[in-house]
Amino acid sequence: MGGDGSEFLQRDFSETYERYHVESLQNMSKQELVKEYLELEKCLSRMEEENNRLRMESKKHGGETAETARVRQLELEVDRLRAENLQLLREKDLPGQERSPCK
């Protein structure tokens, strides 16, 4: 497969994973959702600390490219976790309402 085939597989995997994730969130109790949210908050906090540490190291060493790439990667992960936290908050705030697996 060429580049288009791998893009399709990546997109298909992402869509399937997202559907599975939404279904698993829907099957959680409010208590489980809150616990999941708190765990994600802890993870987010650790990643932000790591991100800040790497930024400081990068500044000290003149912005080494490997560390800069790691910082960028951590920033993307932090953004993803923030989005997931928002989704969990929405799920938690919608008790008793029918939740759709599609966005």
Side-chain angles (χ1 to χ4, degrees):
M1 280 188 180
D4 292 335
S6 64
E7 280 182 32
F8 170 77
L9 290 174
Q10 179 65 37
R11 190 171 45 250
D12 184 53
F13 173 81
S14 295
E15 290 170 1
T16 302
Y17 178 82
E18 181 66 23
R19 277 193 308 272
Y20 170 79
H21 185 70
V22 167
E23 287 175 12
S24 68
L25 289 174
Q26 288 175 339
N27 292 329
M28 288 183 182
S29 68
K30 186 173 182 177
Q31 184 178 5
E32 291 170 324
L33 285 170
V34 169
K35 183 179 178 183
E36 179 75 12
Y37 174 79
L38 293 173
E39 287 296 319
L40 287 170
E41 280 290 324
K42 280 194 254 182
C43 185
L44 175 62
S45 179
R46 284 192 306 267
M47 291 194 145
E48 286 174 335
E49 289 171 8
E50 175 75 2
N51 188 6
N52 290 335
R53 185 186 65 75
L54 288 173
R55 280 181 194 235
M56 296 305 286
E57 283 183 19
S58 179
K59 286 179 182 178
K60 279 193 258 182
H61 296 90
E64 296 173 353
T65 58
E67 288 179 356
T68 303
R70 178 74 175 137
V71 167
R72 244 190 323 269
Q73 180 185 5
L74 287 171
E75 286 173 340
L76 291 173
E77 182 68 10
V78 165
D79 289 341
R80 185 189 69 75
L81 287 169
R82 281 190 178 125
E84 194 168 337
N85 280 346
L86 285 174
Q87 182 180 359
L88 284 169
L89 277 174
R90 285 188 206 113
E91 292 285 329
K92 180 186 76 135
D93 291 339
L94 296 175
Q97 291 184 6
E98 188 67 32
R99 289 177 235 161
S100 171
C102 300
K103 290 185 176 182

